[in-house]
Amino acid sequence: MSYVLHLECSRCSQSWPKTELLNLCPDCQSPLLVRYRLDELRGVFTKDLLVGRVASMWRYLEVMPVETRSDVVSLGEGFTPLLEMPFLEKEYDVRKLFTKDESVNPTGSFKARGLSAAVTMARKLGATKLCIPSAGNAGGALGAYASRAGLESYVFIPDDTPQANVVETEFLSTEVHLVEGVITDAGKAMARRKESENWFDVSTLKEPYRIEGKKTMGYEIAEQLGWELPDVIFYPTGGGTGLIGMWKAFEEMSALGWIGPHRPRMVAVQSEGCAPMVKAFEENQTSAEPWTNPQTFAAGIRVPGAVGDFLILEAIRQSGGTAVAVSDSDTYAAIEELAKGEGLLYCPEGAACWAAFKRLRESGWIRPDDSVVVFNTGAGQKYTDLIRAFQKSQLG
Ligand SMILES: *Cc1c(COP(=O)(O)O)cnc(C)c1O
C-alpha cells in the first residue's frame, strides 16, 4: 500500500493526481514533488521497522512512491557506506569527518538512486520509451534500469563525456547520441525528437521521482549516525537533485518524529569554470542565470543551469549553509590527498567538495566541534581519461 497523497508543485503549490505520468507542473512548468500522508505514518512507520530490512534505498518503502515492493526496479542501489576519515579528521582538527561513499552504487554513481525510482514509476504509469540528456553518469544509470525494467532508453550526452560513461551507455541503453556542447545542448537535441518519438523525459527534476530516489541519502545519513544529523554536508551541485532531496528528507523525518529540529548547514559545491549557483547565492538572487561556456573536468557538475535553482538556493539559505566554487587544480590536488590519505579514489565532483571543505576549514567557517559529511558521488575510476588529460594540460 502506498502513502502517497499527491504530487505538489514546488512553486505554485497546485496539487496533481499521483496516477498521472507527469513531467513539470502543467500550470507553471516547475518541478513537482511527491507528498505523503506523513501524519498517518507518524507512530506507524517507526525507526524500529527498518531493522533487518533490505540493504538498499528501498528499505524506506513507506516514504517511497511505489504501491507494492514487486513494482520496484532495483539493482541494489543505496544504503552506501558512511566512512569515517580518521587521518584527515585529525589533520584538519574536526570532531567527525565522513565520506558518504556513493561510488559503490550500481553503475558507479549515485545517479542509480534517482533512476531506480524514476524508471520504477515510469513503467508503473505506462511509459515504454524513456529519454535523458546526461553529463555522463545519468545516461548509464538510465540505460541500466530501463534494461532491467524491459523498457527502451534514449540517451543524449556531450561528445567529450568521460569514455567510461560513453562505453557503459552504449552497452546499457537502446541508443546513445553524442552531441557537440554540454548537457544543455544534449537536452536541446533530445527535445527536438521526443514528441514525435513518444519518449518520456526523465531529465533531473523534470519528473517527480528521481528526487525521491536521491532523498534517501538523507534518510541513510540519519540512520547511519544514529538519528543525529551532521552539522555540515558538502554536496557537488549540478542539477541539485540530491541537495533538494535531502532537505525534503529531513522535513519528512521530522514529520515522522524520527529527528529533532537540528539541520545540517548545506554547502553546494561547484567548479570555478561553472558556478551558476555560487554566483546566484553570492548575489542574493532567488534563481540563477545560465552559465556561459562552462568548463571543468568534473563532468557531473558541468551543468550551466538547473530547473530547480530556486529550490537549491532556498535549501542552502534555510540551512544556514553556503555555496563555494573551487578550481580544477584544487580538485585534482584533493583527489591525490584523499587517495593517499584515506584510500579513497574520489571522483572529481566529490573531490571538489573536499577542496571546498579545506577552504571553509581554513576560513573558520567549519569549526573544530563540527561533524561533517563529504559526498563522493561516483567512482574515480570512471574518470581516468579526464584526469590524464588534466595532468597533461598542467604539464603544458
Ligand atoms: C550528476 C552528478 C552530480 C551532480 O548531482 P545533482 O544532484 O544533479 O546536482 C555530482 N556528481 C556526480 C558524479 C554526478 O554524476
Side-chain angles (χ1 to χ4, degrees), residues 3-4 6-8 32-36 38 57-58 60-66 110 112-118 120-121 204-205 207-220 241-242 244-246 248-249 252:
Y3 290 91
V4 176
H6 54 229
L7 305 175
E8 182 186 288
L32 293 170
L33 301 174
V34 183
R35 296 299 182 202
Y36 298 84
L38 295 172
M57 70 175 197
W58 294 99
Y60 309 105
L61 196 67
E62 286 84 340
V63 287
M64 295 297 278
V66 281
F110 71 163
R113 295 178 185 264
L115 287 149
S116 171
T120 292
M121 294 308 294
T204 193
L205 284 167
E207 60 76 59
Y209 301 111
R210 279 176 69 178
I211 186 172
E212 293 304 292
K214 283 248 188 111
K215 82 175 179 188
T216 57
M217 299 187 296
Y219 279 87
E220 288 173 22
T241 328
I244 301 165
M246 285 190 279
K248 180 176 190 279
E252 290 176 2

Side-chain angles (χ1 to χ4, degrees), residues 108-111 134-138 165 204 210 214 217 235-244 298-303 312 347-350 375-379 383:
S109 91
F110 71 163
K111 290 294 192 301
S134 169
N137 287 318
N165 292 132
T204 193
R210 279 176 69 178
K214 283 248 188 111
M217 299 187 296
Y235 185 83
T237 305
T241 328
L243 195 148
I244 301 165
I301 53 174
R302 194 176 59 158
V303 180
I312 299 170
C347 64
E349 298 85 346
F375 264 88
N376 181 30
T377 45
Y383 297 78

Side-chain angles (χ1 to χ4, degrees), residues 40-183:
E40 242 172 82
L41 277 172
R42 193 183 169 103
V44 175
F45 183 33
T46 57
K47 298 178 231 182
D48 316 341
L49 286 177
L50 299 174
V51 177
R53 280 199 181 181
V54 62
S56 84
M57 70 175 197
W58 294 99
R59 64 198 277 103
Y60 309 105
L61 196 67
E62 286 84 340
V63 287
M64 295 297 278
V66 281
E67 292 282 333
T68 57
R69 180 167 284 285
S70 57
D71 289 338
V72 172
V73 182
S74 176
L75 293 163
E77 53 294 323
F79 215 57
T80 57
L82 187 69
L83 301 169
E84 196 159 350
M85 297 195 277
F87 290 108
L88 295 173
E89 206 166 73
K90 209 166 183 186
E91 187 174 338
Y92 290 91
D93 185 28
V94 276
R95 184 166 59 89
K96 289 284 176 196
L97 194 51
F98 299 96
T99 289
K100 181 64 171 160
D101 192 10
E102 294 294 299
S103 70
V104 300
N105 273 301
T107 68
S109 91
F110 71 163
K111 290 294 192 301
R113 295 178 185 264
L115 287 149
S116 171
V119 170
T120 292
M121 294 308 294
R123 181 174 70 173
K124 184 68 193 169
L125 298 174
T128 55
K129 298 177 180 184
L130 311 179
C131 67
I132 201 167
S134 169
N137 287 318
L142 172 63
Y145 288 94
S147 293
R148 189 77 178 172
L151 305 181
E152 292 178 17
S153 58
Y154 299 86
V155 179
F156 291 74
I157 50 180
D159 55 6
D160 59 352
T161 296
Q163 202 185 353
N165 292 132
V166 179
V167 175
E168 74 172 346
T169 310
E170 281 169 4
F171 276 92
L172 291 165
S173 70
T174 308
E175 232 174 74
V176 193
H177 298 266
L178 294 174
V179 178
E180 198 183 317
V182 295
I183 185 170

